[in-house]
Amino acid sequence: MPGRTLYDKLWDAHVVHVEPDGTTLLYIDRHLVHEVTSPQAFEGLKLAGRKPWRTSSAVAVPDHNVPTTDRNQGIADPVSRLQVETLDANCAEFGITEFKMNDIRQGIVHVIGPEEGLTLPGMTVVCGDSHTSTHGAFGALAHGIGTSEVEHVMATQCLVQKKSRAMRIRVEGELGRGVTAKDVALAIIGEIGTAGGTGHAVEFAGSAIRGLSMEGRMTLCNMAIEAGARAGMVAVDEKTIEYFRGRPYAPKGEMFDQAAAYWKTLVSDADAKFDAEVVLDAAKIKPQVTWGTSPEMVVTVDGKVPNPADASSEVKKHDWERALQYMGLEAGTPIEQIAIDKVFIGSCTNSRIEDLREAAAVVKGRHKAANVKLAMVVPGSGLVKQQAEEEGLDKVFLEAGFEWREPGCSMCLAMNADRLEPGERCASTSNRNFEGRQGAGGRTHLVSPAMAAAAGIAGHFVDVRKF
Amino acid sequence: MKPFAKLDGLVAPLDRANVDTDAIIPKQFLKSIKRSGFGPNLFDEWRYLDVGEPGKSNHDRPLNPDFVLNKPRYQGASVLLARENFGCGSSREHAPWALEDYGFRAIIAPSFADIFYNNCFKNGILPIVLDAAIVDRLFRQCEASEGYALTVDLDKQTVTTPTGETIAFEVDAGRKYRLLNGLDDIGLTLLQSDKIKAYEERRKAEAPWLF
């Protein structure tokens, strides 16, 4: 039998039924739920008189709409409040575990899943959110799904799927100082494009990936969707297994050892075949900054805003022209000369403790530039916030003139009160620089936490390696 | 779900690549707990000159006269012609809900993002992948001729132009069957309940920590 990829192994372990045309019922182990993409699914269940198949597989948390200040005041926006209250009511009615807004375990769904041990290696994980790919960092098969599928998984514990093609992206060698998982993710997207992974499940491999912490691997898998891949994953190693020891929902004692023995098999076989393979040299990756309105519109920090005349096609040329106009940028401008108005450090891409430590190390003993109106740090969860405070990171940020907020999705997509005003330019550690993403007319530049912090201090983009 | 069989529809050309779901339906409208009523806010930031908010009436908002869907000749369009990687970004099903509520039943593009593509089929919208050169030609024909309409036949898997040119497209057999018949996925899956239970029993023995 030919060798199997990690994706093959995860897939095979979850097949319930296969139709003659290959359409598969895939069993789902963990269903993460948030307030934005679930209300219509619960309503659908109620209208059809259906019950959840296995309530213990689902865990819910409000994250997209929650305020990051004055939590004790509740949610001011009545529309946001209704959505969160609807989640509370649905979870109570259907008996689903929920970490409510003021629970210390509340946070961004993709941060709390691994943090609580709700996500485990070898699991199939779904959530009505495209950044569910994050959980693949642990050798899990994790997909973002739509609301119809949220309802389908609730009712049947299965997802109707056809197998994707397998792609391996190897990053070999050692990353330079100041170069992070976020830069690797953006460099990959710059290389293969935002549709480069469409139709594929991507395994990230190579010595540079093995060298990443679990937090870094999450950042990388999180951005797999920005390369078009619905699932990203990294093989299990000792770091993966150690991460889960003592997590609340992870197995304990002998059960942990039994699970760990299985988890160790979750690697691609040496002779496994991939449908596509991309190789990057880690040493050549520099800190990245996006200049446009798609994550593939990215250059290195020592680069310049590109010229549409150099685009490879007419369609692309028009896109670049439109992006430059929206972003208020001139072709040929050095990236380091672009001044910013706001800094956002947070999101499911970069709001874990390691991200906050990296950003704090840059701002320590410095102060945000006068032209920066707001620099905000939004931890990924209540527990990340607590740990950061134990380490004194909150004080480092506050002394530097940065704001220290409550956990949630916040200005990654601006569903709560945190947003850019029209024309404002932001150094953001989030995942999407689409038009209007962080607020109508807002201009987003995606960067790593260290690069966002450095931009906040300098008032413009700056190479964190020189900082 | 509404079944989809055959559509003879006016075409609107949206000439940009990588149209993301934030553009299709901006996040402030995702606060709704309903699945209907998103049509007036489809492409909100491109369509209107002010910033839309949920609950705000859209009737007296200033329209952007340059946006394609605001041009008189494209009123009533039910086929959207688009470029590469249409629907990239988030998993929000509000995107196909908004397109469907506006009146689109078919979208033609050289490629679609995976989650969006999948979500379309759950909502009675047929996403059609055609070769980029063909899509380019349809764009030129559509822009050149007012009232340009295409006939989409899902059963035969063809798109027919006003001059009678017939273009074949591929669609997964299972998805086609469900869309033609407007079938509910959940009901079909529950027919396999015994297999799901058997899988769970086997898995509980192999990997008890998952339960």
Side-chain angles (χ1 to χ4, degrees), chain B residues 41-167:
Chain B
N41 300 107
L42 175 71
F43 299 119
D44 198 274
E45 286 179 19
W46 294 342
R47 200 162 144 197
Y48 301 97
L49 295 170
D50 64 347
V51 176
E53 287 299 333
K56 182 167 157 183
S57 164
N58 298 290
H59 291 297
D60 39 14
R61 292 178 59 198
L63 291 170
N64 173 5
D66 296 330
F67 183 58
V68 64
L69 294 188
N70 289 334
K71 304 204 170 180
R73 63 185 281 194
Y74 298 121
Q75 298 313 301
S78 58
V79 178
L80 185 67
L81 193 57
R83 296 285 187 185
E84 294 86 350
N85 201 25
F86 187 84
C88 62
S90 83
S91 65
R92 62 187 72 165
E93 204 157 313
H94 311 68
W97 292 339
L99 287 158
E100 200 271 343
D101 194 51
Y102 180 89
F104 287 116
R105 296 300 310 279
I107 307 168
I108 300 174
S111 59
F112 293 89
D114 285 343
I115 303 178
F116 175 82
Y117 183 78
N118 195 43
N119 282 341
C120 283
F121 285 97
K122 316 277 183 197
N123 292 284
I125 296 176
L126 176 63
I128 300 170
V129 177
L130 293 180
D131 189 74
I134 296 174
V135 171
D136 208 43
R137 195 167 77 235
L138 297 181
F139 263 99
R140 275 180 274 126
Q141 290 174 2
C142 181
E143 278 152 13
S145 141
E146 195 162 338
Y148 185 84
L150 290 170
T151 302
V152 177
D153 188 328
L154 175 57
D155 189 35
K156 291 193 181 131
Q157 296 182 214
T158 56
V159 174
T160 307
T161 70
T163 56
E165 184 195 1
T166 297
I167 305 156

Side-chain angles (χ1 to χ4, degrees), chain A residues 316-388:
Chain A
K316 204 160 240 183
K317 179 170 169 260
H318 288 306
D319 275 3
W320 285 17
E321 284 166 352
R322 222 167 350 223
L324 289 183
Q325 191 188 8
Y326 181 85
M327 294 297 289
L329 291 173
E330 296 272 338
T333 307
I335 293 296
E336 291 198 78
Q337 284 179 17
I338 300 173
I340 59 159
D341 303 302
K342 285 184 175 171
V343 174
F344 172 60
I345 296 173
S347 87
C348 56
T349 312
N350 282 127
S351 64
R352 288 168 281 266
I353 189 68
E354 185 183 274
D355 302 314
L356 304 187
R357 286 181 192 139
E358 281 171 11
V362 170
V363 305
K364 194 174 171 70
R366 297 176 163 123
H367 200 274
K368 94 177 158 59
N371 63 305
V372 175
K373 289 184 244 177
L374 172 71
M376 60 193 292
V377 184
V378 184
S381 71
L383 290 165
V384 168
K385 180 170 185 261
Q386 186 180 51
Q387 186 176 348

